[in-house]
Amino acid sequence: MAELFDVYPLYDIEPVRAQGSYLWDATGTRYLDLYGGHAVISVGHTHPRYVNALTDQLHKISFYSNSVRIPQQQELAEKLGSLSKHPDYSLFLCNSGAEANENALKLASFHTGRTQVIAFKKGFHGRTAGAVAATDNPAIVAPVNYNKHVTFLPYNDAETAHEAITTETCAVIIEGIQGVGGIHVATDEFLQTLRKRCDETGAILILDGVQCGYGRSGKFFSHQFSGIQADIISMAKGMGNGFPIGGILISPKFKASYGLLGTTFGGNHLACAAAIAVLDIMKDEGLIENAIRMGDYFMNGIRQIGGYKDLRGRGLMIGIEYDFPVESLRKNLLFEHKQFTGVAGKTIIRLLPSLAIGVDEADMFLEALEKCLKTEKIAV
């Protein structure tokens, strides 16, 4: 009998229904979702407007290739440009964050004619060939994923970055807030130095907004806190609220030509319907503003509980670092208190809830966290 290729450690939980910030498993048990399936659920599970948009589109046409006019793509581009405050940027649509970063790096190399890439320690950009080469995790870089052209620098070290970026540099790729790397926030000075040095050398500045974009930080893209413009911005995850879609926003400095980039499934009718619904909901329900409010609420509550080594993040992208391994804490939250959270490394709890999460849900987490930490201290 054929079996799945066993690459995922699985919890013995089978979600069968979801609504807002909650999941229900096959036994009827309800769980609070504070992780959104790796930051994917942006506007809440099965939001009625989202469901209606996909259902309506499915009844019309779900797919045809990019050899024909797909008006939803232009609608998505205009709404994304407006809400993100990048109305003069162009949009290329694909299917995932890794594919978005792959195309960003490729476009940068086409534009500059160069090969050398600057990336950063603890950075994560995806698992495809070009993206994984710029990811600081040797365990997922196969021999075929050539990465001798990539230099990894310390994150938030402006002086080292200034020296390393030269006229031979093709691109600098960076997350405005590192996700997998532990919720490290780029400083204003650091991002401004990268922007200035790229301008001086002709290198392309790629801001990876796959996890820290789409309103999660309290601005549409987290690097906007630093007052800089990126040459290319990659996105995915929250873009489709669970429907696979990714893309790159591209500065006017780049010139398009037929065949330069391409995709079979990218920008299909259903994907665009999902992404348009997400933007409409975010705008009409003020979800970026809610991310700021609720991020502050979570952070203040966590500070009052204390017991952590460090607390980092912006908006609803939060990392709580402890001086002990958090595996048992995460399992306690999940199995005793029925709350999904994430981790980064061995000592960081990662929170990436829906941007629509409310005070009641935050209080449930804070109460559970306080109880769990008391249990952890007893166990230690």
Side-chain angles (χ1 to χ4, degrees):
M1 183 177 73
E3 295 183 352
L4 294 173
F5 197 48
D6 189 13
V7 293
Y8 300 116
L10 302 178
Y11 290 121
D12 189 19
I13 299 171
E14 181 190 349
V16 296
R17 184 168 66 90
Q19 181 68 52
S21 292
Y22 296 96
L23 304 166
W24 287 261
D25 70 12
T27 70
T29 301
R30 189 182 76 166
Y31 295 81
L32 175 61
D33 186 8
L34 296 159
Y35 194 55
H38 305 303
V40 166
I41 301 301
S42 50
V43 300
H45 291 283
T46 60
H47 190 291
R49 290 180 65 180
Y50 175 83
V51 172
N52 289 339
L54 279 167
T55 303
D56 182 59
Q57 185 61 57
L58 191 59
H59 282 299
K60 295 175 181 176
I61 179 173
S62 61
F63 173 81
Y64 206 75
S65 75
N66 286 295
S67 61
V68 299
R69 293 189 182 277
I70 302 176
Q72 292 91 334
Q73 293 181 352
Q74 184 60 40
E75 181 182 356
L76 174 56
E78 291 173 1
K79 288 183 173 180
L80 176 58
S82 174
L83 195 59
S84 71
K85 296 181 171 57
H86 288 80
D88 57 338
Y89 278 48
S90 300
L91 175 65
F92 175 76
L93 291 166
C94 53
N95 308 286
S96 69
E99 192 179 338
N101 285 326
E102 197 83 20
N103 280 286
L105 290 163
K106 190 174 183 179
L107 184 59
S109 187
F110 274 134
H111 182 79
T112 63
R114 306 173 188 173
T115 60
Q116 299 302 307
V117 172
I118 298 290
F120 296 90
K121 293 179 180 179
K122 295 188 177 180
F124 185 94
H125 301 290
R127 293 175 180 268
T128 53
V132 81
T135 291
D136 185 26
N137 184 353
I140 64 172
V141 180
V144 73
N145 300 132
Y146 177 84
N147 66 353
K148 301 301 181 184
H149 63 296
V150 180
T151 300
F152 291 98
L153 303 180
Y155 194 78
N156 273 336
D157 186 336
E159 183 177 348
T160 298
H162 184 275
E163 294 176 358
I165 301 168
T166 71
T167 53
E168 294 184 358
T169 304
C170 166
V172 177
I173 184 168
I174 183 170
E175 300 161 272
I177 304 174
Q178 289 185 327
V180 174
I183 316 297
H184 297 282
V185 181
T187 66
D188 293 345
E189 178 196 8
F190 183 50
L191 290 180
Q192 289 163 6
T193 296
L194 297 183
R195 177 68 277 173
K196 184 173 183 291
R197 192 58 180 149
C198 285
D199 288 339
E200 292 170 347
T201 61
I204 298 303
L205 180 59
I206 301 169
L207 263 295
D208 179 343
V210 171
Q211 188 170 132
C212 61
Y214 252 77
R216 180 157 295 281
S217 67
K219 287 191 180 290
F220 201 92
F221 297 113
S222 66
H223 65 270
Q224 291 174 312
F225 282 100
S226 301
I228 67 162
Q229 293 272 31
D231 297 313
I232 305 174
I233 307 167
S234 60
M235 67 203 85
K237 291 196 182 291
M239 189 175 186
N241 199 52
F243 196 98
I245 183 172
I248 51 175
L249 277 173
I250 303 164
S251 160
K253 72 169 60 176
F254 296 89
K255 183 179 179 180
S257 61
Y258 292 151
L260 186 70
L261 303 176
T263 172
T264 296
F265 295 106
N268 67 74
H269 296 78
L270 272 177
C272 287
I276 291 167
V278 166
L279 290 174
D280 287 344
I281 294 165
M282 287 175 64
K283 179 180 179 181
D284 294 347
E285 298 187 6
L287 296 191
I288 297 177
E289 294 80 6
N290 191 62
I292 298 173
R293 287 192 299 269
M294 291 308 304
D296 288 343
Y297 192 88
F298 271 100
M299 290 282 224
N300 289 335
I302 294 165
R303 289 189 187 101
Q304 289 177 22
I305 294 168
Y308 55 81
K309 178 181 177 182
D310 195 16
L311 177 63
R312 300 185 292 270
R314 265 182 170 148
L316 290 172
M317 188 170 184
I318 298 171
I320 319 167
E321 184 172 1
Y322 294 97
D323 59 5
F324 56 84
V326 296
E327 181 181 1
S328 64
L329 172 58
R330 185 191 190 191
K331 286 184 176 179
N332 197 353
L333 286 166
L334 179 58
F335 292 108
E336 298 300 322
H337 298 274
K338 311 304 179 187
Q339 298 183 11
F340 278 94
T341 60
V343 294
K346 294 183 178 180
T347 60
I348 302 166
I349 292 289
R350 193 159 43 136
L351 304 181
L352 300 163
S354 156
L355 306 189
I357 199 164
V359 169
D360 289 346
E361 289 77 24
D363 285 343
M364 289 171 62
F365 168 73
L366 294 170
E367 181 181 348
L369 178 65
E370 188 168 20
K371 290 179 179 178
C372 288
L373 287 175
K374 290 177 179 177
T375 301
E376 288 291 327
K377 289 178 181 178
I378 292 171
V380 171

